[in-house]
């Protein structure tokens, strides 16, 4: 019985190491589109996780776009400050695609540019709400390492995702 459990432990350790190595063959970080104006990101594959890049940012033509992740339909929720709805709707897209498929798409983009570093990009500046943080949180929850962005408090992002603005505002004439 003891030998069997030791054998099982060795198999599990080796499998886990393989799985971690498989996902760690690329380095993933997050950044805002605004940072394109101040950083070069030489040697990185730039990936938009919110669809088309609007605005004039330096090197925006280098940004690749993940298909199916446009935030256009969530625009009214975001404008209203309903980040709970934004989080739920965006996570639905992430779950539908799946972590393995997303990671494969990121790998393919990196392979096209012959590098092993990717930057997941979105519109929010610093601690503003941004979909890139939801994307990174989803990947981390699925065992993929995503380096934390300097100056961004993940506790603030999580607070955005949980705030129900309709409970706070209150509604009249509802029975």
């Amino acid at each position: 019985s003891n030998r069997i459990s030791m054998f099982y432990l060795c198999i599990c350790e080796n499998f886990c190491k393989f799985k971690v190595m498989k996902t760690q063959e690329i380095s993933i970080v997050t950044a805002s589109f605004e940072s394109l104006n101040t950083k070069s990101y030489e040697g990185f594959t730039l990936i938009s996780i919110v669809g088309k890049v609007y605005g004039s940012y330096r090197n925006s033509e280098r940004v690749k776009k993940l298909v199916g992740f446009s935030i256009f339909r969530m625009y009214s929720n975001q404008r209203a400050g309903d980040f709970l709805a934004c989080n739920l709707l965006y996570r639905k897209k992430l779950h539908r695609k799946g972590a393995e498929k997303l990671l494969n798409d990121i790998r393919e983009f990196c392979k096209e540019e012959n590098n092993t570093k990717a930057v997941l990009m979105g519109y929010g500046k610093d601690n503003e709400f941004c979909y890139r943080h939801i994307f990174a949180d989803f990947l981390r929850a699925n065992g993929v390492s995503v380096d934390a962005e300097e100056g961004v408090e993940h506790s603030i992002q999580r607070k955005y995702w949980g705030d129900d603005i309709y409970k706070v505002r209150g509604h009249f004439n509802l029975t």
Side-chain angles (χ1 to χ4, degrees), residues 1-140:
S1 175
N2 196 18
R3 280 188 196 164
I4 292 171
S5 61
M6 289 298 283
F7 178 73
Y8 179 73
L9 183 62
C10 289
I11 289 173
C12 287
E13 280 182 9
N14 289 333
F15 177 73
C16 291
K17 285 178 187 172
F18 173 72
K19 187 171 182 170
V20 169
M21 284 178 62
K22 184 179 175 189
T23 60
Q24 296 303 313
E25 63 195 35
I26 56 173
S27 173
I28 303 172
V29 296
T30 60
S32 70
F33 290 123
E34 199 67 33
S35 68
L36 287 171
N37 294 329
T38 58
K39 296 180 181 176
S40 72
Y41 292 112
E42 198 62 40
F44 284 86
T45 299
L46 309 175
I47 302 170
S48 168
I49 52 90
V50 292
K52 185 176 177 180
V53 181
Y54 293 99
S56 55
Y57 303 106
R58 198 178 77 204
N59 293 321
S60 62
E61 70 282 351
R62 284 186 46 215
V63 178
K64 301 197 177 289
K65 164 178 104 158
L66 279 173
V67 177
F69 285 91
S70 170
I71 56 170
F72 179 75
R73 289 188 172 181
M74 293 174 259
Y75 180 74
S76 59
N77 298 96
Q78 191 171 348
R79 288 278 297 185
D82 188 359
F83 303 126
L84 173 63
C86 293
N87 178 35
L88 295 173
L89 292 168
Y90 195 73
R91 282 187 191 271
K92 187 175 182 180
K93 289 182 178 207
L94 293 168
H95 285 286
R96 198 175 310 128
K97 186 110 177 195
E100 191 62 38
K101 176 72 173 115
L102 290 170
L103 194 56
N104 284 337
D105 289 349
I106 294 168
R107 280 190 196 112
E108 283 301 312
F109 285 145
C110 287
K111 190 176 175 183
E112 287 172 14
E113 295 192 4
N114 200 26
N115 65 45
T116 58
K117 297 183 275 187
V119 182
L120 305 177
M121 307 195 87
Y123 288 103
K125 300 175 196 164
D126 302 321
N127 280 315
E128 289 178 0
F129 170 82
C130 187
Y131 293 97
R132 72 182 181 273
H133 304 300
I134 298 170
F135 197 103
D137 187 66
F138 178 79
L139 289 178
R140 286 185 194 111

